[in-house]
């Protein structure tokens, strides 16, 4: 039989200011946790600083992680306080508190704070995204570039089931299964695919660009010091998708030249076969500056 709500026992008036307690605990926890997160978690946040773009992404991730720490603290304090203060002990009757109706202060504060946070993050994210070209594939006509993009070193990234091939137009169209890049250079990746949709994800470089058949998807990065990075396909592309990975290298310019000379010699015997393939050249010859002029 359902209980009559009117007859339900009411809790006696509680003089404790629970809201104030939660706010004070939240402020104290946030003041401790936020700098700790910034100092100790911040440096561990990917993708690292192998390129100017990945450094920018790391900074954005650090800012957002630091900003959400007080939000997380509020949730933790709110739940912890509620569980500790308002739980019903064994053999205790469950009594309901007084009903909560509208509180304009809470409503206005909630709208103002959440709106400010969302708008700030949208503005910050958009600015950071456009600042250095961001390393994401921007299609055939990118709208944002890193400085010196016109002299960018071009590399075509050709996805196929289930490997990436790297084509170097400035080295006579030489192709390699190794991705080697000169240090301290602006690089333009022209990402495409021979068959299904893949995704070129050069993790530590801060690049993730879709590889679509017939599309020249351009992504810029500016390399820094020599390093090793990982490349993975980030789009489920068939049975051996998980096998589709490489290690790439950023090397000093003399080491790059030495590698290029050696790779070109290896490539010489098949060069004729590769260049003979007309549809390949029509689809995959980069035309990166159509829009920029
Ligand atoms: Cu793939």
């Amino acid at each position: 039989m359902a209980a009559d709500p009117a007859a339900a026992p009411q809790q006696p008036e509680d003089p404790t200011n629970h809201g104030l307690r939660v706010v004070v605990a939240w402020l104290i926890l946030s003041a401790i946790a936020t700098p700790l997160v910034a100092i100790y978690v911040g440096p561990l946040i990917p993708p690292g600083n192998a390129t100017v773009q990945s450094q920018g992404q790391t900074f954005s991730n650090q800012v957002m992680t630091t900003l959400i720490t007080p939000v997380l603290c509020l949730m933790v304090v709110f739940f912890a306080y509620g569980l500790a203060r308002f739980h019903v002990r064994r053999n205790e009757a469950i009594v309901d508190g007084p009903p909560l109706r509208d509180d304009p202060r809470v409503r206005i504060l909630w709208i103002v704070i959440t709106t400010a946070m969302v708008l700030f993050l949208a503005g910050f994210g958009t600015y950071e995204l456009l600042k250095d070209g961001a390393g994401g594939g921007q299609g055939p006509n990118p709208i944002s570039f890193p400085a010196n993009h016109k002299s960018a070193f071009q590399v075509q990234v050709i996805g196929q089931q289930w490997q990436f091939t790297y084509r170097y137009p400035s080295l006579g169209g030489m192709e390699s299964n190794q991705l080697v890049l000169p240090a301290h250079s602006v690089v333009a990746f022209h990402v495409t695919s021979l068959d299904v949709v893949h995704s070129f994800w050069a993790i530590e470089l801060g690049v993730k660009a879709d590889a679509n058949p017939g599309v020249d998807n351009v992504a810029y990065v500016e390399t820094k010091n020599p390093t090793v990075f990982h490349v993975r396909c980030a789009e489920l592309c068939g049975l051996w998708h998980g096998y589709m990975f490489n290690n790439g290298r950023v090397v000093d310019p003399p080491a790059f030249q030495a590698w290029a000379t050696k790779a070109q010699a290896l490539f010489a015997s098949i060069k004729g076969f590769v260049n003979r393939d007309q549809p390949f050249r029509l689809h995959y010859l980069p035309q990166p500056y159509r829009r920029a002029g």
Side-chain angles (χ1 to χ4, degrees), residues 158-164 192-201 210-213 232-245:
I158 303 157
Q160 70 186 100
Q161 290 172 318
W162 285 279
Q163 67 171 33
F164 286 111
T192 190
S193 169
L194 295 180
D195 40 43
V196 300
V197 177
H198 301 272
S199 177
F200 171 63
W201 184 23
D210 283 347
N212 297 318
R232 285 193 167 276
C233 179
E235 190 75 58
L236 185 59
C237 61
L239 188 62
W240 295 109
H241 161 70
Y243 170 80
M244 208 165 154
F245 63 88

Side-chain angles (χ1 to χ4, degrees), residues 44-284:
L44 308 174
I45 292 175
N49 61 355
T51 63
V52 172
Q53 285 69 20
S54 67
Q55 201 172 21
Q57 292 164 23
T58 304
F59 173 70
S60 304
N61 289 341
Q62 287 168 339
V63 167
M64 286 189 280
T65 307
T66 307
L67 276 180
I68 62 165
T69 304
V71 179
L72 179 70
C73 287
L74 180 60
M75 292 168 67
V76 168
V77 167
F78 189 81
F79 280 115
Y81 188 87
L83 284 172
R85 182 63 185 75
F86 298 113
H87 78 274
V88 174
R89 282 167 193 82
R90 199 183 294 263
N91 300 326
E92 212 175 46
I94 298 175
V95 286
D96 207 357
L100 284 174
R101 308 266 184 234
D102 182 37
D103 185 334
R105 291 168 308 173
V106 172
R107 181 159 35 90
I108 289 167
L109 213 59
W110 181 261
I111 290 171
V112 168
I113 291 173
T114 52
T115 305
M117 284 180 69
V118 168
L119 288 181
F120 169 75
L121 287 174
F124 172 76
T126 308
Y127 171 76
E128 287 290 319
L129 200 66
L130 295 176
K131 198 175 63 176
D132 295 310
Q138 302 182 59
N141 302 307
I143 58 166
S144 67
F145 312 94
N148 308 324
H149 69 276
K150 293 207 174 188
S151 55
F153 181 77
Q154 294 178 18
V155 179
Q156 272 189 305
V157 178
I158 303 157
Q160 70 186 100
Q161 290 172 318
W162 285 279
Q163 67 171 33
F164 286 111
T165 301
Y166 307 102
R167 184 167 181 270
Y168 295 81
S170 63
L171 302 174
M174 187 265 284
E175 292 184 7
S176 174
N177 61 356
Q178 297 177 33
L179 179 54
V180 181
L181 301 170
H184 304 288
S185 307
V186 177
V187 178
F189 290 113
H190 293 262
V191 183
T192 190
S193 169
L194 295 180
D195 40 43
V196 300
V197 177
H198 301 272
S199 177
F200 171 63
W201 184 23
I203 301 166
E204 291 84 355
L205 301 188
V207 177
K208 197 179 202 183
D210 283 347
N212 297 318
V215 175
D216 178 28
N217 192 11
V218 184
Y220 292 102
V221 292
E222 186 174 345
T223 58
K224 295 170 75 183
N225 294 321
T227 185
V228 173
F229 57 90
H230 300 93
V231 175
R232 285 193 167 276
C233 179
E235 190 75 58
L236 185 59
C237 61
L239 188 62
W240 295 109
H241 161 70
Y243 170 80
M244 208 165 154
F245 63 88
N246 286 136
N247 281 353
R249 286 180 294 145
V250 175
V251 298
D252 280 327
F256 180 79
Q257 270 313 320
W259 171 81
T261 308
K262 214 166 130 186
Q264 273 175 304
L266 270 174
F267 177 69
S269 61
I270 59 158
K271 193 176 177 188
F273 294 96
V274 174
N275 287 348
R276 196 182 58 184
D277 190 344
Q278 284 304 312
F280 174 85
R281 288 182 60 81
L282 277 177
H283 275 86
Y284 304 115

